[in-house]
Amino acid sequence: MQDHPIIAENESIDLVARSTALCGEVPDTSLFAKEKRPRITHIGEYVMKTSKLEAELLDLQIARYIYATNTPFIAVEHPEFMKLIKMLRPGYIPPNRHDIGNKLLNNVQGSLLDTCRKTLEDKTVSLSLDGWSNVHNEPVVCVSVTTDKGETFLTETIDTSGHSHTSEYLAELAADAITSCEINFRCHVRNVVTDNAANMAKMRRDLQKKIPNEILTYGCSAHLLNLLAQDVQITGIKEQVVQIVKYFRHTHLPAARYKQAGGNSLVIPHEIRWNTLTDCLKSYISNWHILVQVCEEYRDEINSNIGNKVKNYSIKRNAEDLFIRLKPISVALDRIQRENAIISDTVEVWKTLYEDLLSSQQPAHVLRKVDERAAQAISPAHYSANLIDPRYRGRKLTEKEATDAMEYIHQHCPNAIATVLQFKAGYDPFKSYMFSDDVS
């Protein structure tokens, strides 16, 4: 006897529907619905599996998060973190602090170094050196490189324990860092930038003599602008304003009264966060009327010395004068610290700063300080870059500065002199439309 093929449930309903329709009857599918077969299920549908590869990827991602956020390694063993992982991925066991500090650290470092090598290969880069102290108070020098797109990579940290940071030692260290960078990352180092400490400045001169015509060395303009801000301060004003601000931020009752009166956040300046003094003065000046109001209404609760300082118009006026003086420096500092800033911008930034301070009628000693710091920041190479930048074309250069720029170009790239002269004059092949704002 021949077996009949098994008809699926929905197919059987469809057959009955068609047959009853031919007889003019409406099918009753509820009978079939009551006889639905139970769906066959598998235990795998209720189990979340984590393969070995998936576990390794999760381990690496947790490690990357820990490193990127400077989170203590022991955080991965915290009960609440473990609970979170179990809720997100039952059955997966996250790495412990020893894994985070050893094998995963090496894996992530190796992966990042490979990425750096691929990004930096055949690129022309600017190398920066700066001294720091690590968490163990050990002296280290950090070496980083920056591409023409503003990408920055830390390439090396050098333990300098047992070495005095003389200019000779630093010059040797810089030369080794250049060689190491070019070998390990296959890039071309053409600039070396440092801060402007006396030993670093002499190191740059020594390095320039050691590798002439190959490496351009100069001091960091952002650091020089920060030093300029310190040069031009009005004696005693910073200290008095900071004392007032700290009192109304850190003393509970005055802080509460100030907040109730509608005062906005007051900023405390930090030495390692440039421009915070300008922010401090701005917050103090814009909220000064509220500070006076609080000191008047709650004079019995406010420290009398602080109250007298707040109501001292001389302090406020001097703070306003200092703010007017520091604001253009703050703007220049922000501009020079942009990721896409290049050395041709340096000339423009310092020139514009001098013009802004001159227009605000700053005293002669302030303008003199600007000239002194600008002389430290700008070299003939900067003038040359400004001269051939289509945005600037050396329009703000003095006759001597333009001459220095051309002499620098003649010394380092004599074949380009004719082209630069054509560029300056706007002669063929440089057409006038090339210098419109939207093109340049």
Side-chain angles (χ1 to χ4, degrees), residues 62 75-94:
I62 290 174
V76 296
E77 297 179 4
H78 194 283
E80 292 299 327
F81 179 80
M82 300 291 288
K83 187 186 299 184
L84 171 65
I85 295 299
K86 286 180 180 178
M87 292 173 67
L88 293 173
R89 193 82 181 184
Y92 164 67
I93 301 174

Side-chain angles (χ1 to χ4, degrees), residues 301-314:
E301 300 173 0
I302 303 298
N303 180 285
S304 59
N305 182 43
I306 296 296
N308 291 334
K309 288 182 184 295
V310 169
K311 291 180 279 188
N312 188 325
Y313 285 97
S314 177

Side-chain angles (χ1 to χ4, degrees), residues 28-46:
D28 182 8
T29 59
S30 60
L31 296 174
F32 295 94
K34 293 178 182 177
E35 297 178 3
K36 284 183 181 178
R37 297 178 183 177
R39 187 171 68 88
I40 299 175
T41 59
H42 301 281
I43 190 67
E45 296 181 24
Y46 302 97

